[in-house]
Amino acid sequence: MPNNKKDELGTKSQPSAGLSALPKTNLGFGVGLRSQHFPYLMNNDDPMVDWFEIISENFIDNYGYGRHVLAQLRAKRPIVMHGVSMNIGSTDPLNSEYLRKLKELAEFIKPEWISDHLCWTGFAGINSHDLLPLPLTDESLNHVISRVNQVQDILERPLVLENPSTYLEYEYSHLSEPEFFNELVANTQCGILLDVNNVYVSAFNHGFSAEQYINDLPHDHIIQMHLAGPTHCGDCLIDTHDQPVPSPVWRLYQQAQMLTQGVSTLLEWDANIPPYPELVAELNKAKATLAGNVPDEAVVTVSHQQTISTPIVI
């Protein structure tokens, strides 16, 4: 498709000529850095993982102990920054102050890459604290292309965007999410963070094939994968990040790693967080899966009478 998309001002939107290439290094197997694990990590020299992913917002304007822990770990392992507030799909103007602070944090950490979500989080200055789905239309695509290129110019590096879990769809969407991603990367050269669990959740909720979704993505732009455990709530799956990764997600992960020829793997766990050694043991199941030994793990089910809380990070 020709790069003839236009931004809100009517000018052509295209990647900056000086934009660096997507990072292609497979970092190996990592976990999300959570404050519950700071004591363990500061008292043990070996982190037992290849790399860490941080939630960017947890460290922006944080100059206390968290920043100290981050500096210590950065000296040992690669770090990736993962955000939840870029609001890339919103009609609000891009938040220049947020982007300035994000770039400032990146200058301190020297992350391998910076990621966020293909979603919107609010409008009129109001933050919903959730990752809301986009209408998958040409107009929306044009809008996101323009904004991704603006962000990449500000950060002076490629942006990496994750597919979110979704619980509703727009009637007037006429593109599939893989089609949207294909056009987006063609016009911005951004990267993709493939959350395999999110594909599984959305496919269950909307009735599409998770396997076909993964087949249809631009695999050469996928540079990272997320794994997590969802919860079955009767008529839908919710991306709770508080359970072991179930077998269907491991099988999708196996498929995706084969198609990409191997990219960085990250285990997310954001509620009912287990002790650090248990978290690492769950991560190591990814290695067993790639060796052909898919864990036998069912999706956790809760009744309608039970209440669950979903984390902000998806």
Side-chain angles (χ1 to χ4, degrees):
M1 177 179 177
N3 188 355
N4 58 3
K5 297 292 180 184
K6 296 184 178 182
D7 62 20
E8 294 90 341
L9 300 178
T11 56
K12 287 186 178 180
S13 174
Q14 54 188 340
S16 169
L19 187 67
S20 59
L22 273 176
K24 295 291 187 179
T25 303
N26 184 343
L27 301 178
F29 302 87
V31 296
L33 178 61
R34 301 296 180 261
S35 59
Q36 290 90 333
H37 296 143
F38 285 0
Y40 182 94
L41 291 166
M42 289 298 94
N43 288 302
N44 292 273
D45 289 336
D46 183 5
M48 301 192 294
V49 298
D50 298 321
W51 61 286
F52 291 96
E53 179 185 82
I54 67 166
I55 302 303
S56 302
E57 288 77 5
N58 289 347
F59 293 90
I60 288 176
D61 292 332
N62 180 339
Y63 299 98
Y65 184 63
R67 181 70 70 106
H68 169 74
V69 172
L70 188 56
Q72 295 298 308
L73 292 177
R74 186 64 181 94
K76 298 178 180 180
R77 295 292 188 271
I79 302 288
V80 166
M81 289 170 53
H82 184 56
V84 295
S85 301
M86 192 170 289
N87 205 15
I88 198 72
S90 175
T91 55
D92 276 4
L94 289 166
N95 187 330
S96 58
E97 179 66 6
Y98 170 77
L99 291 172
R100 181 189 68 78
K101 290 182 177 182
L102 192 68
K103 186 175 182 180
E104 183 180 81
L105 180 63
E107 288 170 352
F108 171 75
I109 295 174
K110 302 288 191 294
E112 303 301 312
W113 54 81
I114 299 174
S115 65
D116 207 285
H117 299 78
L118 182 66
C119 72
W120 59 285
T121 56
F123 71 100
I126 299 173
N127 192 339
S128 71
H129 297 289
D130 207 343
L131 308 176
L132 304 169
L134 293 171
L136 301 176
T137 64
D138 286 334
E139 181 180 13
S140 178
L141 174 63
N142 183 26
H143 178 66
V144 174
I145 286 171
S146 173
R147 286 163 72 89
V148 168
N149 283 329
Q150 290 176 62
V151 168
Q152 292 183 147
D153 284 344
I154 292 169
L155 297 181
E156 299 181 286
R157 62 169 70 219
L159 179 63
V160 180
L161 289 174
E162 175 185 343
N163 58 296
S165 291
T166 57
Y167 308 97
L168 59 84
E169 294 179 300
Y170 295 87
E171 287 187 358
Y172 47 87
S173 291
H174 63 269
L175 297 169
S176 69
E177 203 164 78
E179 288 173 333
F180 196 102
F181 266 117
N182 272 279
E183 294 293 345
L184 180 61
V185 303
N187 285 275
T188 65
Q189 299 308 304
C190 72
I192 296 174
L193 195 176
L194 174 58
D195 191 310
V196 183
N197 176 63
N198 288 358
V199 175
Y200 177 66
V201 167
S202 297
F204 180 93
N205 291 341
H206 305 311
F208 63 79
S209 167
E211 292 80 7
Q212 191 61 52
Y213 179 109
I214 291 173
N215 281 337
D216 291 344
L217 289 170
H219 303 128
D220 59 336
H221 280 261
I222 298 172
I223 67 169
Q224 181 187 339
M225 293 183 198
H226 272 173
L227 293 164
T231 301
H232 186 270
C233 299
D235 55 359
C236 71
L237 286 176
I238 296 181
D239 184 25
T240 50
H241 288 196
D242 63 351
Q243 308 290 347
V245 179
S247 299
V249 174
W250 285 123
R251 287 192 289 270
L252 291 173
Y253 169 72
Q254 195 177 44
Q255 172 195 354
Q257 285 285 17
M258 180 184 68
L259 290 170
T260 60
Q261 299 181 34
V263 299
S264 305
T265 298
L266 193 286
L267 174 67
E268 294 183 296
W269 202 306
D270 294 298
N272 301 321
I273 298 175
Y276 189 76
E278 292 180 23
L279 185 73
V280 173
E282 181 70 13
L283 171 67
N284 287 337
K285 294 178 184 178
K287 300 176 184 178
T289 298
L290 295 182
N293 301 311
V294 176
D296 183 13
E297 192 77 52
V299 179
V300 172
T301 301
V302 299
S303 68
H304 289 290
Q305 287 73 36
Q306 292 175 284
T307 59
I308 61 173
S309 60
T310 57
I312 293 173
V313 183
I314 297 181

